[in-house]
Amino acid sequence: MSGHQDVDAESIGVDDIVIYDFDDSPPYAAPAPVEQEKVVAAKVESAPIISSYNDKIRPLLDAIDKLRLLMVMKEGIQLPTIVVVGDQSSGKSSVLDSLAGVNLPRSQGICTRVPLIIRLQNHSSPRPDLYLEYSGKVVPVDESYIATAINLATDEVAGNGKGISNTPLTLVVKKDGVPDLTMVDLPGITRVPVHGQPENIYEQIRDIIMQYITPKESIILNVLSASVDFSTCESIKMSRQVDKTGERTLAVVTKADKAPEELLQKVTADDVNIGLGYVCVRNRIGDESHEEASREEARLFQTHPHLSRIDKSIVGVPVLARKLVQIQANTIARCLPEIVKNISEKLNANVSELERMPKALTSVADAMTAFMRIIGAVKESLRKLLWRGDFDEYPDDRSKHGTARLVEILNQFSHELHNCEESDPTKDFLAEEIKVLEDAKGIELPNFLSLEVFLRILQRKVERISCTPIKFVEMIWDYIDGVVMAVLMRHSEMYSQLKVSTTRAGHNLVQKMREQSINRVEEIVQMEKLTCYTCNPVYMVEWTKLMNAQDNIIKNVNTGPNHMGMPSRVTVEGFGDIAVEHLRHHSCGLLQQAFDLKMRMTAYWKIVLQRLVDSMALHLQYCVHNLVNNDMEEIVNELIGPDGHGIEMMLVESPAIAAKREKLKKSIKLLKESKDVVAKVMDRIASYGELAA
Ligand SMILES: Nc1nc2c(ncn2[C@@H]2O[C@H](COP(=O)(O)OP(=O)(O)OP(=O)(O)O)[C@@H](O)[C@H]2O)c(=O)[nH]1
């Protein structure tokens, strides 16, 4: 058979398991029916499915079962589990019934409606001990009424009718001769809802099955009816989704008696890639006793012309039991070290998370201390983000890297300011200057350039860019507001009342600073309109350089009444190829003055723009400095209030935080108990780890 992993019984110490041995009969030659029945019956009576179980693996299985009972899986810790899946009525419950040797509910319709955890434990007492655990109850069950008890418990958990539920029931069967196994039986997969079932029954069942079979710790016991084409089984499709290579899937082929002809070929071909191999069984039918069913199964595989040809190592419930025990032992040994590690890690993480949570505040003094600590932490975070450029608290969130983002905004401001120049400089060259000069004509010396004229043009230019600094100062404060809010929220997260008030107070503070800032920037803009002044020598250097072009342009424009053959465009450095036709009818003196005025303005405007960017940068730094060092105190004043009572609101803890603290405490308790459970079997884990390797 291809792809099967036959587990070596010796290696896991299950050498005392007794299984039927059919090999002393000649293959395919059936003994006389009566005689053969006697032989098999004798063996069955003298040997339970597994006569005893190795003492070493049992404590490990008990530890896993205790962890399961503690619901450690809720903490995201997966346990090795044999999960029984199959299409509806494929015979899942019947397989478990055969393994457990007790009567479980079996039917032709939907039967298993909730996950049923079956814990089989071999015990030496002749009296079986059976009980059901569900909804926090432990209900002893009489062997002859198990089916009824399970059905009643299912109704209680999943409601009457045919609906399903994900709340598990646990059936504990302590009985002489049963294999020590824990398995989960899941509802059978059905595509078409029967009367009384919800329309999405398939999706519901699929979700439950996927939840159980997805963890790599799960062993999938895929129950397939011999009478169907395995590759069309829904359960095969599902298990292949999570276990592509089939390395954790074992197939049990039921109803061998119903479709014996093709069975050998089907399990040999292994079309569906079952890594752990196949076991063919014939379960109890109708009212047969377990003994009768065992005898009948043994007789069938011994004598049937087709079934007797199947290798004896893959037929019969006892073989299935032995394989499962071995697989379970190996899986537990393989997974336990990881489980121990996961429990420890989860426990440590939860303990440190609980320690990081704030203590519940019980007095005003406590609240005051906590509040001042929060404000101190907020100031320090803001200092790092907006002043020092230290981003260790938000390494991956670039939006909070304040110093870098502020420079970006400033650069953008500078770029926009330098590029929001009025229309094309090559058109209407000197037109504005000429118009202002003509308007300002007075009885005075002709070549006298008045300050008034210069200021009039300057004011127009400043007016045109005056929105840009305001727009950017708004942008900067929007950004600062975002950072301040984020930092305040992070530090006051644990105190819901405080969070609301501090963010409100923080927002008010930023709003106040924003208004002051806008006033200041408006002042800066107004100052530029009022006076023209610079001590920067670059102004004179620049103006002198620009004036070098004056003679050339005047010569090319002002040529007397005959302009024939003169160029219509003249190149002026810094402005490009300018059109000059419109200048020809102006006097030379006016043109000279206009040119001088434009060059003065050009040289000066560069100084103005630089000064605006520089002042904005200095002003911004000044505001940030005040915010992170002094102004945050205003939040303290606003929150404490004039009478000093505002702080009391901190004593009211957020329900979410209280719930989180409770949840962490519960989880820590559970993980500590789980740790104790595994601590008791630690020495065995080491030795089994070596065996499993
Ligand atoms: N002849 C024969 N019938 C079987 C065998 N195994 C199961 N059955 C019958 O098949 C029917 C369905 O079996 P169940 O064990 O209830 O199937 P199931 O997969 O648990 O069903 P659901 O949980 O409802 O999906 C029952 O009538 C069983 O008696 C078998 O090996 N041979």
Side-chain angles (χ1 to χ4, degrees):
M1 206 172 4
S2 65
H4 295 175
Q5 293 175 2
D6 256 344
V7 190
D8 175 9
E10 298 277 311
S11 72
I12 56 158
V14 287
D15 41 11
D16 49 356
I17 295 167
V18 178
I19 60 160
Y20 307 129
D21 175 10
F22 303 113
D23 287 347
D24 47 6
S25 316
Y28 321 129
V34 181
E35 247 180 60
Q36 186 241 350
E37 204 158 286
K38 267 194 223 153
V39 173
V40 176
K43 285 189 177 182
V44 170
E45 273 150 28
S46 65
I49 287 177
I50 291 171
S51 59
S52 73
Y53 187 68
N54 190 291
D55 290 344
K56 292 180 196 160
I57 198 76
R58 176 65 179 274
L60 298 189
L61 181 56
D62 284 348
I64 296 288
D65 283 338
K66 273 189 203 144
L67 294 181
R68 203 184 307 279
L69 213 63
L70 281 172
M71 309 263 250
V72 74
M73 280 158 123
K74 273 202 307 202
E75 297 299 321
I77 291 168
Q78 299 299 340
L79 300 175
T81 308
I82 296 173
V83 185
V84 187
V85 297
D87 291 6
Q88 201 177 87
S89 298
S90 55
K92 297 177 297 301
S93 304
S94 300
V95 168
L96 293 167
D97 170 292
S98 304
L99 288 167
V102 293
N103 295 0
L104 297 177
R106 295 160 305 145
S107 76
Q108 282 300 341
I110 181 161
C111 170
T112 312
R113 298 194 292 124
V114 294
L116 176 65
I117 301 168
I118 302 185
R119 286 171 55 200
L120 305 180
Q121 292 183 0
N122 183 30
H123 84 169
S124 49
S125 158
R127 278 197 57 199
D129 181 11
L130 288 87
Y131 50 94
L132 271 171
E133 294 171 343
Y134 62 100
S135 312
K137 292 187 283 193
V138 177
V139 182
V141 182
D142 189 280
E143 192 172 352
S144 43
Y145 293 107
I146 293 177
T148 319
I150 291 178
N151 286 336
L152 284 174
T154 302
D155 287 349
E156 200 175 317
V157 169
N160 297 328
K162 292 182 175 159
I164 61 159
S165 158
N166 198 3
T167 311
L169 302 178
T170 302
L171 172 68
V172 181
V173 177
K174 295 183 178 175
K175 199 177 170 187
D176 186 18
V178 295
D180 285 73
L181 279 173
T182 299
M183 295 163 290
V184 186
D185 185 17
L186 294 178
I189 308 159
T190 171
R191 276 266 173 206
V192 189
V194 295
H195 185 67
Q197 281 182 336
E199 275 306 306
N200 66 345
I201 186 83
Y202 173 77
E203 285 75 19
Q204 284 189 30
I205 295 175
R206 185 198 55 202
D207 290 351
I208 297 178
I209 291 177
M210 290 313 258
Q211 180 201 323
Y212 275 88
I213 65 174
T214 302
K216 61 181 188 332
E217 292 79 3
S218 295
I219 295 299
I220 306 168
L221 188 65
N222 214 322
V223 179
L224 310 165
S225 165
S227 50
V228 301
D229 174 0
F230 298 164
S231 62
T232 63
C233 288
E234 290 285 343
S235 63
I236 286 287
K237 290 180 192 160
M238 283 188 194
S239 69
R240 287 172 86 169
Q241 279 178 36
V242 293
D243 179 28
K244 286 195 177 53
T245 56
E247 62 184 356
R248 50 188 182 90
T249 303
L250 176 71
V252 183
V253 186
T254 61
K255 309 186 191 181
D257 53 315
K258 279 188 155 179
E261 294 81 9
E262 305 292 318
L263 194 51
L264 175 60
Q265 195 276 328
K266 275 170 137 174
V267 296
T268 314
D270 186 26
D271 291 337
V272 288
N273 207 14
I274 302 289
L276 293 175
Y278 294 79
V279 181
C280 306
V281 298
R282 181 271 189 200
N283 291 310
R284 197 162 67 84
I285 302 172
D287 294 334
E288 276 177 350
S289 70
H290 284 91
E291 288 71 26
E292 286 164 353
S294 299
R295 274 198 296 273
E296 194 46 43
E297 181 187 55
R299 195 188 63 75
L300 189 70
F301 286 114
Q302 177 75 0
T303 61
H304 191 282
H306 293 289
L307 298 179
S308 61
R309 295 170 60 198
I310 305 174
D311 195 303
K312 297 296 177 283
S313 67
I314 61 161
V315 295
V317 172
V319 167
L320 174 64
R322 193 184 74 153
K323 282 204 170 195
L324 285 176
V325 165
Q326 290 173 332
I327 291 168
Q328 178 181 253
N330 281 354
T331 315
I332 291 177
R334 179 168 50 80
C335 297
L336 254 173
E338 183 74 11
I339 292 171
V340 174
K341 186 171 141 255
N342 289 346
I343 291 175
S344 274
E345 281 176 7
K346 186 92 194 174
L347 180 60
N348 291 345
N350 283 359
V351 167
S352 45
E353 193 173 347
L354 186 65
E355 276 168 6
R356 277 201 309 274
M357 284 189 75
K359 307 277 166 289
L361 302 174
T362 49
S363 68
V364 172
D366 275 359
M368 193 62 182
T369 313
F371 177 56
M372 293 316 285
R373 206 177 44 238
I374 290 170
I375 293 295
V378 169
K379 274 166 81 171
E380 181 54 17
S381 293
L382 289 177
R383 236 177 254 141
K384 282 179 169 182
L385 295 175
L386 298 172
W387 188 255
R388 294 211 299 268
D390 173 352
F391 311 130
D392 62 344
E393 290 174 15
Y394 298 86
D396 302 319
D397 184 356
R398 291 190 76 242
S399 70
K400 304 284 179 314
H401 298 181
T403 43
R405 297 293 78 75
L406 288 174
V407 170
E408 271 172 19
I409 299 176
L410 264 182
N411 288 342
Q412 197 188 335
F413 170 56
S414 171
H415 179 80
E416 206 163 296
L417 211 51
H418 283 87
N419 290 285
C420 68
E421 259 310 316
E422 58 268 44
S423 52
D424 182 1
T426 62
K427 269 206 226 150
D428 299 331
F429 188 68
L430 299 183
E432 188 183 9
E433 287 75 10
I434 291 169
K435 193 162 175 291
V436 175
L437 283 167
E438 281 182 334
D439 282 354
K441 257 190 231 159
I443 302 172
E444 58 190 11
L445 289 176
N447 63 348
F448 195 81
L449 183 60
S450 79
L451 182 66
E452 192 56 33
V453 169
F454 188 81
L455 281 179
R456 208 172 292 168
I457 294 196
L458 178 66
Q459 278 160 7
R460 285 188 191 173
K461 281 176 84 73
V462 174
E463 191 55 43
R464 279 197 286 265
I465 55 100
S466 62
C467 294
T468 310
I470 308 299
K471 183 177 106 185
F472 274 89
V473 89
E474 290 271 13
M475 206 186 261
I476 282 168
W477 282 104
D478 283 349
Y479 174 74
I480 293 177
D481 190 43
V483 174
V484 171
M485 289 304 112
V487 170
L488 275 172
M489 291 225 265
R490 185 164 71 85
H491 287 289
S492 59
E493 197 173 31
M494 305 294 184
Y495 305 95
S496 62
Q497 299 289 328
L498 182 73
K499 189 166 146 185
V500 176
S501 331
T502 43
T503 45
R504 194 185 50 230
H507 190 66
N508 289 345
L509 171 66
V510 172
Q511 195 55 29
K512 196 174 122 197
M513 295 188 78
R514 176 200 300 261
E515 279 161 21
Q516 286 170 355
S517 213
I518 290 175
N519 289 342
R520 176 77 191 120
V521 171
E522 274 173 355
E523 264 175 28
I524 292 172
V525 173
Q526 286 307 317
M527 287 187 307
E528 293 296 348
K529 277 187 183 171
L530 204 64
T531 326
C532 49
Y533 173 75
T534 180
C535 65
N536 190 341
V538 171
Y539 165 71
M540 281 307 290
V541 174
E542 186 76 2
W543 175 74
T544 314
K545 204 172 97 195
L546 290 167
M547 286 300 283
N548 286 337
Q550 191 182 36
D551 288 347
N552 183 43
I553 189 162
I554 301 296
K555 191 174 80 205
N556 282 300
V557 172
N558 214 309
T559 52
N562 184 7
H563 300 139
M564 292 292 284
M566 295 311 294
S568 62
R569 303 188 82 83
V570 177
T571 303
V572 178
E573 205 192 318
F575 296 89
D577 209 9
I578 56 164
V580 294
E581 279 312 324
H582 65 289
L583 301 176
R584 297 208 196 278
H585 57 276
H586 293 296
S587 70
C588 179
L590 184 64
L591 284 180
Q592 275 174 337
Q593 258 192 333
F595 189 84
D596 185 0
L597 183 56
K598 187 161 189 80
M599 297 310 122
R600 280 175 201 274
M601 186 54 70
T602 305
Y604 184 62
W605 189 240
K606 279 191 187 161
I607 305 282
V608 171
L609 294 184
Q610 269 172 16
R611 200 158 49 200
L612 280 175
V613 177
D614 290 353
S615 324
M616 183 85 118
L618 296 185
H619 168 69
L620 171 68
Q621 283 294 81
Y622 177 71
C623 292
V624 169
H625 179 268
N626 284 346
L627 174 73
V628 299
N629 290 304
N630 315 321
D631 296 348
M632 290 301 287
E633 300 304 329
E634 285 194 25
I635 296 187
V636 179
N637 298 338
E638 184 171 336
L639 282 183
I640 295 177
D643 48 6
H645 290 321
I647 208 72
E648 281 169 15
M649 71 195 173
M650 277 184 76
L651 299 175
V652 185
E653 192 171 41
S654 128
I657 292 296
K660 187 175 175 192
R661 189 183 290 115
E662 268 325 289
K663 191 168 165 243
L664 276 175
K665 279 185 184 165
K666 270 192 195 153
S667 162
I668 289 170
K669 182 169 173 278
L670 190 155
L671 289 163
K672 275 188 178 154
E673 283 171 17
S674 305
K675 205 173 169 184
D676 288 347
V677 169
V678 286
K680 292 193 182 113
V681 291
M682 280 302 264
D683 49 338
R684 290 166 197 271
I685 294 172
S687 59
Y688 274 87
E690 283 160 23
L691 283 171

PDB file of all heavy atoms in Angstrom, residues 148-164:
ATOM      1  N   THR A 148     -29.646   7.151  24.903  1.00  0.00           N
ATOM      2  CA  THR A 148     -30.696   8.074  25.352  1.00  0.00           C
ATOM      3  C   THR A 148     -30.082   9.271  26.068  1.00  0.00           C
ATOM      4  O   THR A 148     -30.472  10.425  25.826  1.00  0.00           O
ATOM      5  CB  THR A 148     -31.649   7.334  26.338  1.00  0.00           C
ATOM      6  OG1 THR A 148     -31.883   6.041  25.831  1.00  0.00           O
ATOM      7  CG2 THR A 148     -32.936   8.081  26.549  1.00  0.00           C
ATOM      8  N   ALA A 149     -29.096   8.994  26.953  1.00  0.00           N
ATOM      9  CA  ALA A 149     -28.481  10.096  27.720  1.00  0.00           C
ATOM     10  C   ALA A 149     -27.802  11.089  26.775  1.00  0.00           C
ATOM     11  O   ALA A 149     -27.918  12.308  26.952  1.00  0.00           O
ATOM     12  CB  ALA A 149     -27.474   9.525  28.716  1.00  0.00           C
ATOM     13  N   ILE A 150     -27.105  10.562  25.755  1.00  0.00           N
ATOM     14  CA  ILE A 150     -26.422  11.478  24.808  1.00  0.00           C
ATOM     15  C   ILE A 150     -27.465  12.294  24.045  1.00  0.00           C
ATOM     16  O   ILE A 150     -27.310  13.509  23.863  1.00  0.00           O
ATOM     17  CB  ILE A 150     -25.514  10.695  23.827  1.00  0.00           C
ATOM     18  CG1 ILE A 150     -24.323  10.121  24.593  1.00  0.00           C
ATOM     19  CG2 ILE A 150     -25.035  11.594  22.687  1.00  0.00           C
ATOM     20  CD1 ILE A 150     -23.372   9.295  23.764  1.00  0.00           C
ATOM     21  N   ASN A 151     -28.532  11.624  23.613  1.00  0.00           N
ATOM     22  CA  ASN A 151     -29.569  12.354  22.874  1.00  0.00           C
ATOM     23  C   ASN A 151     -30.192  13.445  23.728  1.00  0.00           C
ATOM     24  O   ASN A 151     -30.432  14.565  23.266  1.00  0.00           O
ATOM     25  CB  ASN A 151     -30.645  11.389  22.361  1.00  0.00           C
ATOM     26  CG  ASN A 151     -30.122  10.573  21.182  1.00  0.00           C
ATOM     27  OD1 ASN A 151     -29.196  11.004  20.487  1.00  0.00           O
ATOM     28  ND2 ASN A 151     -30.683   9.383  20.968  1.00  0.00           N
ATOM     29  N   LEU A 152     -30.435  13.119  25.023  1.00  0.00           N
ATOM     30  CA  LEU A 152     -31.033  14.131  25.924  1.00  0.00           C
ATOM     31  C   LEU A 152     -30.077  15.307  26.121  1.00  0.00           C
ATOM     32  O   LEU A 152     -30.478  16.480  26.056  1.00  0.00           O
ATOM     33  CB  LEU A 152     -31.374  13.506  27.274  1.00  0.00           C
ATOM     34  CG  LEU A 152     -32.625  12.614  27.292  1.00  0.00           C
ATOM     35  CD1 LEU A 152     -32.776  11.927  28.648  1.00  0.00           C
ATOM     36  CD2 LEU A 152     -33.872  13.456  26.982  1.00  0.00           C
ATOM     37  N   ALA A 153     -28.803  14.970  26.355  1.00  0.00           N
ATOM     38  CA  ALA A 153     -27.809  16.035  26.573  1.00  0.00           C
ATOM     39  C   ALA A 153     -27.667  16.879  25.296  1.00  0.00           C
ATOM     40  O   ALA A 153     -27.547  18.107  25.366  1.00  0.00           O
ATOM     41  CB  ALA A 153     -26.466  15.416  26.948  1.00  0.00           C
ATOM     42  N   THR A 154     -27.706  16.214  24.135  1.00  0.00           N
ATOM     43  CA  THR A 154     -27.616  16.954  22.863  1.00  0.00           C
ATOM     44  C   THR A 154     -28.784  17.920  22.738  1.00  0.00           C
ATOM     45  O   THR A 154     -28.610  19.091  22.373  1.00  0.00           O
ATOM     46  CB  THR A 154     -27.612  15.978  21.661  1.00  0.00           C
ATOM     47  OG1 THR A 154     -26.524  15.085  21.817  1.00  0.00           O
ATOM     48  CG2 THR A 154     -27.491  16.705  20.342  1.00  0.00           C
ATOM     49  N   ASP A 155     -29.995  17.431  23.087  1.00  0.00           N
ATOM     50  CA  ASP A 155     -31.172  18.312  23.015  1.00  0.00           C
ATOM     51  C   ASP A 155     -30.966  19.527  23.922  1.00  0.00           C
ATOM     52  O   ASP A 155     -31.333  20.646  23.586  1.00  0.00           O
ATOM     53  CB  ASP A 155     -32.439  17.560  23.448  1.00  0.00           C
ATOM     54  CG  ASP A 155     -32.871  16.564  22.370  1.00  0.00           C
ATOM     55  OD1 ASP A 155     -32.312  16.624  21.262  1.00  0.00           O
ATOM     56  OD2 ASP A 155     -33.752  15.721  22.660  1.00  0.00           O
ATOM     57  N   GLU A 156     -30.368  19.273  25.103  1.00  0.00           N
ATOM     58  CA  GLU A 156     -30.173  20.378  26.057  1.00  0.00           C
ATOM     59  C   GLU A 156     -29.177  21.405  25.493  1.00  0.00           C
ATOM     60  O   GLU A 156     -29.377  22.607  25.627  1.00  0.00           O
ATOM     61  CB  GLU A 156     -29.644  19.802  27.378  1.00  0.00           C
ATOM     62  CG  GLU A 156     -29.875  20.738  28.536  1.00  0.00           C
ATOM     63  CD  GLU A 156     -29.467  20.112  29.859  1.00  0.00           C
ATOM     64  OE1 GLU A 156     -29.781  18.924  30.097  1.00  0.00           O
ATOM     65  OE2 GLU A 156     -28.822  20.834  30.649  1.00  0.00           O
ATOM     66  N   VAL A 157     -28.141  20.903  24.850  1.00  0.00           N
ATOM     67  CA  VAL A 157     -27.091  21.810  24.360  1.00  0.00           C
ATOM     68  C   VAL A 157     -27.477  22.444  23.016  1.00  0.00           C
ATOM     69  O   VAL A 157     -27.283  23.641  22.810  1.00  0.00           O
ATOM     70  CB  VAL A 157     -25.757  21.021  24.213  1.00  0.00           C
ATOM     71  CG1 VAL A 157     -24.726  21.836  23.470  1.00  0.00           C
ATOM     72  CG2 VAL A 157     -25.224  20.647  25.579  1.00  0.00           C
ATOM     73  N   ALA A 158     -28.047  21.629  22.112  1.00  0.00           N
ATOM     74  CA  ALA A 158     -28.298  22.129  20.746  1.00  0.00           C
ATOM     75  C   ALA A 158     -29.779  22.382  20.480  1.00  0.00           C
ATOM     76  O   ALA A 158     -30.150  22.778  19.377  1.00  0.00           O
ATOM     77  CB  ALA A 158     -27.769  21.128  19.724  1.00  0.00           C
ATOM     78  N   GLY A 159     -30.631  22.151  21.493  1.00  0.00           N
ATOM     79  CA  GLY A 159     -32.071  22.334  21.295  1.00  0.00           C
ATOM     80  C   GLY A 159     -32.689  21.094  20.668  1.00  0.00           C
ATOM     81  O   GLY A 159     -31.983  20.289  20.043  1.00  0.00           O
ATOM     82  N   ASN A 160     -34.021  20.996  20.836  1.00  0.00           N
ATOM     83  CA  ASN A 160     -34.705  19.863  20.194  1.00  0.00           C
ATOM     84  C   ASN A 160     -34.666  20.084  18.690  1.00  0.00           C
ATOM     85  O   ASN A 160     -34.361  21.159  18.225  1.00  0.00           O
ATOM     86  CB  ASN A 160     -36.171  19.798  20.651  1.00  0.00           C
ATOM     87  CG  ASN A 160     -36.248  19.542  22.142  1.00  0.00           C
ATOM     88  OD1 ASN A 160     -35.381  18.857  22.687  1.00  0.00           O
ATOM     89  ND2 ASN A 160     -37.249  20.104  22.796  1.00  0.00           N
ATOM     90  N   GLY A 161     -34.943  19.094  17.948  1.00  0.00           N
ATOM     91  CA  GLY A 161     -34.978  19.275  16.502  1.00  0.00           C
ATOM     92  C   GLY A 161     -33.685  18.801  15.872  1.00  0.00           C
ATOM     93  O   GLY A 161     -32.994  17.933  16.428  1.00  0.00           O
ATOM     94  N   LYS A 162     -33.339  19.420  14.737  1.00  0.00           N
ATOM     95  CA  LYS A 162     -32.214  18.870  13.977  1.00  0.00           C
ATOM     96  C   LYS A 162     -31.055  19.859  13.815  1.00  0.00           C
ATOM     97  O   LYS A 162     -30.115  19.607  13.072  1.00  0.00           O
ATOM     98  CB  LYS A 162     -32.708  18.404  12.605  1.00  0.00           C
ATOM     99  CG  LYS A 162     -33.629  17.206  12.774  1.00  0.00           C
ATOM    100  CD  LYS A 162     -34.141  16.645  11.504  1.00  0.00           C
ATOM    101  CE  LYS A 162     -34.944  15.388  11.831  1.00  0.00           C
ATOM    102  NZ  LYS A 162     -35.879  15.031  10.797  1.00  0.00           N
ATOM    103  N   GLY A 163     -31.160  20.998  14.526  1.00  0.00           N
ATOM    104  CA  GLY A 163     -30.090  21.994  14.441  1.00  0.00           C
ATOM    105  C   GLY A 163     -28.823  21.469  15.108  1.00  0.00           C
ATOM    106  O   GLY A 163     -28.851  20.522  15.880  1.00  0.00           O
ATOM    107  N   ILE A 164     -27.699  22.110  14.788  1.00  0.00           N
ATOM    108  CA  ILE A 164     -26.440  21.670  15.388  1.00  0.00           C
ATOM    109  C   ILE A 164     -25.860  22.777  16.269  1.00  0.00           C
ATOM    110  O   ILE A 164     -26.306  23.917  16.215  1.00  0.00           O
ATOM    111  CB  ILE A 164     -25.418  21.264  14.310  1.00  0.00           C
ATOM    112  CG1 ILE A 164     -25.100  22.465  13.403  1.00  0.00           C
ATOM    113  CG2 ILE A 164     -25.895  20.092  13.494  1.00  0.00           C
ATOM    114  CD1 ILE A 164     -23.805  22.310  12.698  1.00  0.00           C
TER     115      ILE A 164
END
